[in-house]
Amino acid sequence: MTRIIVFFVALLSFPFVSAMPENGDKTVSGVLLFDSSLSTGADIWQFTDTSAWKIRQDSEHGQVLILDGASTYEPAVRSPFNIAWLKSLEVDDFVLEVEAMSTSREYGHRDLCFFFGKQSDTEFYYVHIATASDPHANSIFLVNNADRVSIAEKRTEGTHWENGTFHKIRIVRKVGSGKILVYFDDMRTPVMEATDTTFTSGSIGLGSFDDVGEFRNLRIWRIKKPE
């Protein structure tokens, strides 16, 4: 526990930094809260099923989180099975960036997921990035004590996970307006957009509905709000 506290204190002392463009022509400033390249061990994560996950330390990228098996976790409502929740960090307005690689077979619902706003095991948001869009795939979802519901106002017809390739994902969340923006490789044009104010803060996580993959270079900024 002491190591985790020291880790976050160190990150909170980072200066304000640019969190990259939003909608192509604006920058979002914030303070860096988490950087997986500085972390070690599994004790900063809470897994829905520990046996489904592994951690590899990479000399270039730091901690690599590996989801390589099916989870035995059974959620109370229809929602993803494989989740690694980041402990000791809750955010409201944020920018999340991570590199993710799907190691699953190709099919319409081939996915990786990105979670935020967790209040409980049955209350959170998640971004489901998948090969094809339908009511249950490749969208932004709300889980609110009921089966997940797509809330995306805009999205593409699908997202291509290239075999053996880490793709860059960015998620921007502004609770005042309820805006959620999702970027995939192209950091200028969102692939998904939603507006929702059900949850205004909460935990962040990584995972998949029921597939496998790897995650590295996770960084989370708290957005600097206008004075």
Side-chain angles (χ1 to χ4, degrees):
M1 181 61 68
T2 301
R3 181 175 59 177
I4 297 174
I5 293 173
V6 171
F7 171 72
F8 281 107
V9 168
L11 285 177
L12 288 170
S13 67
F14 281 18
F16 281 90
V17 295
S18 171
M20 305 300 289
E22 177 190 3
N23 285 340
D25 59 355
K26 297 180 180 179
T27 59
V28 184
S29 296
V31 61
L32 182 64
L33 298 179
F34 179 80
D35 185 340
S36 65
S37 69
L38 304 178
S39 62
T40 59
D43 53 359
I44 62 171
W45 299 99
Q46 179 181 352
F47 303 104
T48 51
D49 182 350
T50 304
S51 66
W53 295 85
K54 296 178 181 178
I55 290 179
R56 181 178 71 244
Q57 288 300 132
D58 183 279
S59 59
E60 181 178 356
H61 303 287
Q63 186 181 86
V64 180
L65 195 59
I66 303 169
L67 172 58
D68 70 346
S71 175
T72 59
Y73 172 68
E74 296 184 6
V77 297
R78 185 65 174 166
S79 56
F81 303 101
N82 302 318
I83 310 175
W85 291 106
L86 187 61
K87 297 179 183 179
S88 305
L89 178 64
E90 293 190 2
V91 293
D92 43 21
D93 292 5
F94 70 85
V95 174
L96 176 156
E97 288 188 355
V98 65
E99 294 177 359
M101 178 174 65
S102 170
T103 54
S104 176
R105 64 183 176 89
E106 182 59 80
Y107 71 113
H109 282 198
R110 180 187 188 183
D111 80 276
L112 290 176
C113 295
F114 309 86
F115 303 83
F116 59 97
K118 181 189 178 186
Q119 311 297 300
S120 72
D121 290 342
T122 57
E123 297 171 293
F124 56 87
Y125 297 102
Y126 71 96
V127 174
H128 184 275
I129 298 182
T131 300
S133 293
D134 63 34
H136 301 136
N138 200 59
S139 190
I140 302 168
F141 290 89
L142 170 67
V143 179
N144 190 13
N145 293 314
D147 293 355
R148 52 45 173 130
V149 175
S150 173
I151 59 171
E153 300 162 331
K154 298 179 182 178
R155 57 176 173 163
T156 62
E157 294 182 356
T159 309
H160 176 60
W161 289 106
E162 185 175 351
N163 291 334
T165 299
F166 277 93
H167 296 272
K168 186 175 182 180
I169 289 88
R170 177 186 299 144
I171 299 172
V172 178
R173 169 63 166 161
K174 293 189 173 182
V175 299
S177 63
K179 201 68 177 177
I180 303 167
L181 302 174
V182 181
Y183 300 81
F184 186 88
D185 285 341
D186 178 1
M187 298 294 106
R188 297 185 63 84
T189 305
V191 294
M192 302 179 196
E193 298 183 33
T195 304
D196 190 272
T197 57
T198 303
F199 306 131
T200 57
S201 65
S203 305
I204 283 177
L206 304 172
S208 171
F209 205 102
D210 51 11
D211 283 335
V212 290
E214 299 186 9
F215 305 88
R216 71 185 189 191
N217 292 336
L218 171 63
R219 294 183 176 89
I220 302 165
W221 292 264
R222 177 176 286 125
I223 296 174
K224 183 180 180 181
K225 297 180 180 180
E227 296 180 357

